[in-house]
């Protein structure tokens, strides 16, 4: 089969690799019909996540058709159309029973590696380095799905791929980020980063009752999408001092909740950004936490800072005094996707959410190298790329989905 493989820093290629096989009774094989490139795939592409090997198959946002099931999978049948959550979860362990699926204790065969980095291991994740299991990902024609009796969710044929694909990650991730803010009527929420997770955080904050949502980014096309997602105010941080504007908009008090949907490759201004870039380049600091620092400093006393943005390792100059003296609550975590898929699918079915508004590009799977480059460089107003093994080419950049402000 064809698969998108990591070939080194800044290099992916489409290679012909062996088809996946059923290895365990609870496995299923899925024929992929749609798969997306995620912002966190860019962290792998950029070499920020250790334990990637040449030839590793990328991708953790994918859906498709069941073509084979192991004898332990009785809830799926060949021909079912399913979306697959990005964390791999057994459904039976201490954490799965508490619905903390991204912390499953049984799905990461390389838990010892993760323990070295983080103290304890999270769940295995598709296509996301060997620290999280070394599983082959879904940017491929076929993929093996372990614990297929627990993860995949059947989707109705009436909803096309573009409407349900994001149930695999970015929609539940944005939703969980907003849910963690414990939003009360009248609350103001500020969101750093208007990529897919930020956009769904904005939309979810509104669904959960936020009165006022402020979206922060530097790309006009992303800020335009933030408006579609429901942001009341958009803020270009290259034109304004974020901290000053947030104070002005909240009577000096600061937002009730702040969401960092940027993560470890934050782009910021000034001396501290240069400091982070230098330290990261020298491998003295693995992550650049500019957005997180600003979210902590901006948040009102007693507020919540929710962090769906991905961080991998160590950061510097964390304003811990601000956390303590302002009595902040910090909430984070890889998304417990299984918990959110069904209720969010119901909202999509009812027409309350149409997640396809974030898509700017459809590609064929074999155009992945170009897709990664365009997405990393934010070229061509790219926000989200969906690839289909038999899809259209990049030449057909779908302007009907994007509403640009011209
Ligand atoms: Zn993702
Ligand atoms: Zn488990």
């Amino acid at each position: 089969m064809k698969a998108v493989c990591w070939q080194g820093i800044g290099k992916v290629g489409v290679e012909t690799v062996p088809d996946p096989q059923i290895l365990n009774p609870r496995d299923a094989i899925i024929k992929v019909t749609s798969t997306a490139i995620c912002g966190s795939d860019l962290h792998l592409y950029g070499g920020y996540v250790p334990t990637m090997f040449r030839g590793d198959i990328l991708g953790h946002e994918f859906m498709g058709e069941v073509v084979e099931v192991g004898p332990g999978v009785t809830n799926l049948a060949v021909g079912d159309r399913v979306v697959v959550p990005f964390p791999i979860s057994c459904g039976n362990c201490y954490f799965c029973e508490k619905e903390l699926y991204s912390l499953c204790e049984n799905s990461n065969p390389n838990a010892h590696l993760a323990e070295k980095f983080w103290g304890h291991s999270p769940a295995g994740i598709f296509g996301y380095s060997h620290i999280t299991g070394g599983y082959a990902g879904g940017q491929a024609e076929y993929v093996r799905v372990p614990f297929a009796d627990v993860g995949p969710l059947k989707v109705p044929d009436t909803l096309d791929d573009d409407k349900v694909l994001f149930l695999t990650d970015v929609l539940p991730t944005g939703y969980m980020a907003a849910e963690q803010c414990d939003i009360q009527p009248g609350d103001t929420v500020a969101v750093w980063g208007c990529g897919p997770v930020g956009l769904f955080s904005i939309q979810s904050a509104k669904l959960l009752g936020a009165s006022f949502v402020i979206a922060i980014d530097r790309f006009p096309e992303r800020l335009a999408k933030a408006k579609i997602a429901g942001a009341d105010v958009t803020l270009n941080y290259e034109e304004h001092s974020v901290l000053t504007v947030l104070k002005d908009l909240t009577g000096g008090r600061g937002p009730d909740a702040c969401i960092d949907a940027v993560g470890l490759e934050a782009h910021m201004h000034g001396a501290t950004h240069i400091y982070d870039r230098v330290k990261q380049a020298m491998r003295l600091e693995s992550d650049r936490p500019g957005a997180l620092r600003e979210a902590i400093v901006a948040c009102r006393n007693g507020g919540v800072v929710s962090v769906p943005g991905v961080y991998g390792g160590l950061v510097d100059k964390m304003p811990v005094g601000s956390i303590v003296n302002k009595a902040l609550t910090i909430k984070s975590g890889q998304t417990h996707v299984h918990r959110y898929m069904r209720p969010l699918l119901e909202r999509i079915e009812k027409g309350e959410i149409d997640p396809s508004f974030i898509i700017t590009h459809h590609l064929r799977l074999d155009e992945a190298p170009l897709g990664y480059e365009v997405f990393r460089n934010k070229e061509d107003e790219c926000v989200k790329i969906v690839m289909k093994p038999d899809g259209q080419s990049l030449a057909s950049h779908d302007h009907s989905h994007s509403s640009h402000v011209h």
Side-chain angles (χ1 to χ4, degrees), residues 252-391:
R253 193 176 279 153
D256 301 287
C258 292
I259 297 176
D260 167 11
V262 176
L264 65 85
E265 292 181 67
H267 172 279
M268 302 295 282
H269 279 311
T272 320
H273 180 60
I274 294 163
Y275 172 91
D276 284 330
R277 287 214 69 126
V278 170
K279 288 207 73 162
Q280 198 175 41
M282 292 169 71
R283 307 251 167 226
L284 294 172
E285 177 183 51
S286 59
D287 302 1
R288 301 198 303 266
L292 181 56
R293 284 190 197 117
E294 198 166 67
I296 289 168
V297 173
C299 194
R300 76 147 162 83
N301 289 1
V304 177
V305 176
S306 172
V307 189
V310 172
Y311 290 91
L314 306 175
V315 300
D316 250 2
K317 295 194 185 292
M318 198 33 59
V320 66
S322 178
I323 298 171
V324 172
N325 290 291
K326 299 201 303 176
L328 298 183
T329 301
I330 311 277
K331 292 199 185 175
S332 191
Q334 295 280 5
T335 311
H336 307 298
V337 177
H338 303 56
R339 202 207 274 172
Y340 299 99
M341 283 176 115
R342 196 176 294 276
L344 288 172
L345 174 62
E346 281 167 17
R347 283 185 187 266
I348 295 169
E349 284 185 282
K350 284 188 211 149
E352 292 171 22
I353 307 176
D354 179 358
S356 64
F357 79 96
I358 68 168
I359 301 171
T360 49
H361 295 73
H362 286 100
L363 262 69
R364 287 195 315 263
L365 188 70
D366 60 10
E367 293 172 306
L370 180 60
Y372 270 82
E373 205 181 313
V374 166
F375 188 40
R376 178 192 58 195
N377 299 338
K378 314 278 188 294
E379 288 164 18
D380 198 27
E381 306 192 339
C382 182
V383 176
K384 190 68 171 177
I385 295 175
V386 172
M387 300 188 293
K388 297 174 196 285
D390 56 353

Side-chain angles (χ1 to χ4, degrees), residues 38 40 60-61 169:
C38 182
S40 62
H60 59 269
E61 300 181 1
D169 177 2

Side-chain angles (χ1 to χ4, degrees), residues 167-204:
L167 287 167
T168 59
D169 177 2
V170 284
L171 177 58
T173 297
Y175 189 88
M176 185 169 113
E179 191 185 65
Q180 285 175 341
C181 293
D182 189 22
I183 293 166
Q184 306 297 313
D187 273 2
T188 294
V189 178
V191 179
W192 276 254
C194 298
V197 170
L199 293 171
F200 289 134
S201 299
I202 292 164
Q203 191 180 50
S204 303

